[in-house]
């Protein structure tokens, strides 16, 4: 029997398509704020509203993983727009959405979400009851949504179990661009995008 995994009702049929991801990376990073990231795990949707992202560019960005060229570890970053690029860091993981046309090596790091769906499961996976400690950072986010290196290369556009969606009544967050976090190169560039009114940012906006 073929199973279908429909997202929550308000998001049904509002999945972002390849055309959304195929645009300039900074544009995608900004416009992902206020969208819903969802992962279907063990019969339940886990996820929430994206409140913080960072753009990593294909040219002139030494902080980007693609700056060293295509390798076995970053190959997904050069795949079609909407592909997941998941990489390990300190025994944890970070989730990126590939942007622009294939073979360019650009992506958006999803740094934080406001947790909404599957809170009990996310609490168990994270080991905390406080919702503010579930998804306020890229590694926390992946742990809460049960995403790891095995999910690298999946497709946000076509995979029924994972995707990014718009609400039937689109959210209108107040977005600000700031400097990226935790990098040693190209620190001056304002390529981090945040919902300034969110309580779930990995770091407050100064």
């Amino acid at each position: 029997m073929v199973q279908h995994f429909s997202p929550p009702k308000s998001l049904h049929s509002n999945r972002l398509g390849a055309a959304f991801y195929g645009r300039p990376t900074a544009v995608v990073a900004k416009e992902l704020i206020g969208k819903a990231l969802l992962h279907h795990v063990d019969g339940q949707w886990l996820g929430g509203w994206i409140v913080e992202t960072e753009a990593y560019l294909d040219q002139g960005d030494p902080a980007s993983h693609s700056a060293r060229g295509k390798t076995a570890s970053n190959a997904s970053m050069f795949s079609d727009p909407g592909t997941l690029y998941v990489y390990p860091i300190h025994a944890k993981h970070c989730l990126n959405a590939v942007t622009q046309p294939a073979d360019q090596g650009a992506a958006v790091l999803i740094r934080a979400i406001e947790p909404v769906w599957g809170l009990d499961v996310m609490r168990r996976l994270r080991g905390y009851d406080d919702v503010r400690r579930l998804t306020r950072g890229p590694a926390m986010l992946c742990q809460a949504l049960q995403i790891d290196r095995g999910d690298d290369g999946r497709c946000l556009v076509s995979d029924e179990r994972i995707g990014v969606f718009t609400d039937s009544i689109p959210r209108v967050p107040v977005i600000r661009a700031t400097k990226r976090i935790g990098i040693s190169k190209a620190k001056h560039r304002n390529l981090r995008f945040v919902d300034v009114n969110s309580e779930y940012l990995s770091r407050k906006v100064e």
Side-chain angles (χ1 to χ4, degrees), residues 102-114:
D103 298 320
Q104 293 192 4
V108 173
L109 172 65
I110 300 178
R111 287 195 58 89
I113 67 172
E114 175 187 340

Side-chain angles (χ1 to χ4, degrees), residues 29-160:
K30 181 178 180 180
E31 294 188 10
L32 279 171
I33 303 298
K35 305 298 191 295
L37 171 64
L38 290 164
H39 187 205
H40 194 272
V41 179
D42 296 332
Q44 185 169 0
W45 286 101
L46 311 179
W49 304 111
I50 299 172
V51 297
E52 181 179 355
T53 62
E54 287 180 346
Y56 287 89
L57 311 182
D58 60 314
Q59 295 182 359
D61 188 0
S64 176
H65 286 188
S66 64
R68 63 181 183 268
K70 187 176 181 179
T71 68
S73 62
N74 71 8
S76 292
M77 197 174 181
F78 294 82
S79 296
D80 293 331
T83 299
L84 284 180
Y85 169 46
V86 182
Y87 63 85
I89 180 169
H90 306 307
K92 297 180 180 180
H93 299 88
C94 294
L95 165 66
N96 301 258
V98 175
T99 55
Q100 302 182 182
D103 298 320
Q104 293 192 4
V108 173
L109 172 65
I110 300 178
R111 287 195 58 89
I113 67 172
E114 175 187 340
V116 176
W117 296 278
L119 290 177
D120 289 343
V121 175
M122 287 193 275
R123 287 187 173 105
R124 175 174 55 80
L125 291 169
R126 286 283 297 131
Y128 295 103
D129 289 331
D130 186 348
V131 292
R132 291 170 296 181
R133 301 191 68 175
L134 299 181
T135 56
R136 291 177 60 186
M140 296 182 194
L141 168 62
C142 281
Q143 186 178 16
L145 299 190
Q146 201 167 316
I147 292 172
D148 58 25
R149 182 66 169 171
D151 296 300
D152 181 54
R154 292 175 70 182
C155 183
L156 293 166
V157 175
S158 62
D159 191 322
E160 287 191 328

Side-chain angles (χ1 to χ4, degrees), residues 54 56 63 89 111 179-185 187 203:
E54 287 180 346
Y56 287 89
I89 180 169
R111 287 195 58 89
K179 294 178 175 60
R180 294 176 293 187
I181 296 173
I183 58 174
S184 59
K185 300 175 181 178
K187 294 189 289 184
R203 184 181 299 179

